[in-house]
Amino acid sequence: DAKTTQPPSMDCAEGRAANLPCNHSTISGNEYVYWYRQIHSQGPQYIIHGLKNNETNEMASLIITEDRKSSTLILPHATLRDTAVYYCIVSHNAGNMLTFGGGTRLMVKP
Amino acid sequence: DSGVTQTPKHLITATGQRVTLRCSPRSGDLSVYWYQQSLDQGLQFLIQYYNGEERAKGNILERFSAQQFPDLHSELNLSSLELGDSALYFCASSPGTVLTDTQYFGPGTRLTVL
């Protein structure tokens, strides 16, 4: 599975958009980008995933660059409850496991 | 609430002992995954079962074993416990075996080995 690089921490003002970057320059053509988050020692929570096209759901948007070497998770209106560690994971769909890296610790401030 | 339940929530035991962690997957999910989260190693995949059969193994120690029962609940057995086994243990479930099937995580069992 491709390796990912994320900034260790980011701050965001409440109500503003949070843009979390992820670099995955070695991604292969059939690997997906998955985002999960973990709120303070709770079980990780699925956010979104994508292959090539940008994706949006009720939680977030995922923007994948045309060359697929990087992506950005966008939380459109961050709230205090969005404070969490966000994990970007790249893997084949047929992979059996989620390989979590260090993630980005997002702190949403009032 | 993800629909995945884990018991117990907390477990305190001594080195050398054996413990069993239990996981009930979401209704209808056939896959169960076990993950370990420690301070120094982060979140690591241990093992996956699908419909009663072992499907994939990660960094699971030989002292650890798991099984999935006909009713699809799963147990993770940890034996000859060491201080370094202190961690949060998460169970996740998903409908199938592909990663585009969302994994739903339980609240975890916090194991403390003294």
Side-chain angles (χ1 to χ4, degrees):
Chain A
D1 294 338
K3 183 177 165 54
T4 61
T5 303
Q6 299 178 253
S9 64
M10 291 182 65
D11 289 345
C12 177
E14 189 179 18
R16 304 296 295 269
N19 296 283
L20 293 96
C22 180
N23 187 291
H24 33 79
S25 58
T26 61
I27 192 170
S28 64
N30 57 357
E31 286 185 307
Y32 283 75
V33 180
Y34 303 86
W35 283 84
Y36 279 74
R37 74 179 182 183
Q38 186 175 25
I39 298 172
H40 186 58
S41 296
Q42 295 179 21
Q45 177 190 26
Y46 168 81
I47 302 173
I48 200 167
H49 73 270
L51 182 61
K52 294 180 185 176
N53 300 320
N54 299 335
E55 302 287 345
T56 295
N57 63 21
E58 65 280 0
M59 285 184 70
S61 295
L62 174 60
I63 308 297
I64 302 174
T65 57
E66 197 167 332
D67 64 6
R68 302 186 70 239
K69 293 185 176 183
S70 66
S71 59
T72 301
L73 178 75
I74 301 172
L75 307 178
H77 305 287
T79 71
L80 299 179
R81 287 182 294 182
D82 292 321
T83 292
V85 178
Y86 288 77
Y87 296 99
C88 169
I89 300 164
V90 171
S91 184
H92 296 94
N93 189 29
N96 300 102
M97 66 198 80
L98 293 170
T99 303
F100 291 86
T104 295
R105 186 173 297 276
L106 175 70
M107 180 77 71
V108 180
K109 298 183 174 180
Chain B
D1 183 3
S2 66
V4 177
T5 60
Q6 290 188 247
T7 56
K9 289 185 81 169
H10 301 277
L11 200 46
I12 301 174
T13 189
T15 55
Q17 296 298 303
R18 172 189 169 93
V19 297
T20 297
L21 313 183
R22 183 188 169 104
C23 168
S24 292
R26 288 187 331 146
S27 177
D29 284 356
L30 298 179
S31 272
V32 169
Y33 306 78
W34 286 97
Y35 292 82
Q36 178 194 56
Q37 186 171 32
S38 60
L39 279 174
D40 54 345
Q41 296 286 339
L43 257 168
Q44 288 201 96
F45 167 76
L46 295 179
I47 197 164
Q48 178 203 5
Y49 278 81
Y50 176 74
N51 204 20
E53 301 286 327
E54 183 183 302
R55 183 83 177 192
K57 249 181 176 175
N59 298 321
I60 188 166
L61 300 172
E62 282 192 18
R63 301 183 285 108
F64 296 1
S65 65
Q67 53 184 330
Q68 186 179 27
F69 295 87
D71 67 353
L72 301 176
H73 91 271
S74 177
E75 292 181 356
L76 179 68
N77 301 295
L78 315 176
S79 62
S80 302
L81 285 167
E82 302 175 0
L83 296 177
D85 297 328
S86 295
L88 265 170
Y89 290 84
F90 291 106
C91 164
S93 74
S94 70
T97 59
V98 292
L99 287 183
T100 47
D101 287 340
T102 300
Q103 290 188 23
Y104 293 89
F105 284 76
T109 293
R110 184 175 292 278
L111 173 67
T112 302
V113 182
L114 300 175

